[in-house]
Amino acid sequence: MQIPQRTLRRWRSSQGQVRPDLRPLAIRAAPKNRLSEQERLHILNVCNDADYASLPPSQIVPRLADQGEYIASESTIYRVLKANDQLHHRGKAKPPQPASAPTSHQASKPNEIWTWDIS
């Protein structure tokens, strides 16, 4: 099986049966650098401000840095926006429109269709 003997002993109970994996049920402490609810609300307020509402976080962070303000990293802002279902087009930005297929022409006789060939 190529696993350490200690691991196998830990998995087995005194009756020789395999115990269930209890790692997913373990209680873990919250990270010390976790954002508070006030910080999350501040990020949302800044992102929904009229100046930044139509910008993605990749443009919000540098603009705030130019003003000497740092609220969070770009990935953190993406995470907060995603948790609040705001990763769609915010502000005045319009969603992309599907591009229509180019029209195709078919000639049935000579000199029926004229085009510019740049090749």
Side-chain angles (χ1 to χ4, degrees):
M1 292 185 352
Q2 296 184 0
I3 57 170
Q5 288 184 3
R6 174 67 185 113
T7 302
L8 187 61
R9 277 187 261 133
R10 190 177 66 242
W11 286 351
R12 288 189 180 163
S13 65
S14 59
Q15 292 85 19
Q17 296 176 345
V18 177
R19 289 186 283 182
D21 186 10
L22 300 177
R23 290 176 295 176
L25 304 176
I27 298 172
R28 292 176 173 81
K32 294 183 185 209
N33 61 346
R34 183 177 183 174
L35 291 176
S36 68
E37 196 58 36
Q38 288 177 332
E39 291 170 323
R40 289 179 181 274
L41 288 175
H42 180 62
I43 291 171
L44 287 173
N45 288 338
V46 169
C47 290
N48 291 325
D49 187 55
D51 295 337
Y52 304 109
S54 60
L55 299 174
S58 59
Q59 294 178 14
I60 293 173
V61 172
R63 287 192 184 192
L64 287 173
D66 289 343
Q67 298 172 4
E69 185 178 352
Y70 179 81
I71 57 171
S73 68
E74 184 179 327
S75 60
T76 300
I77 294 176
Y78 271 111
R79 244 181 279 121
V80 170
L81 288 176
K82 182 177 181 180
N84 289 281
D85 194 31
Q86 292 191 13
L87 271 185
H88 51 78
H89 293 274
R90 299 174 294 118
K92 296 180 181 178
K94 294 181 182 178
Q97 301 297 320
S100 60
T103 57
S104 133
H105 303 287
Q106 186 173 3
S108 59
K109 59 183 181 181
N111 290 327
E112 190 173 46
I113 298 175
W114 289 79
T115 183
W116 179 0
D117 185 4
I118 61 169
S119 57

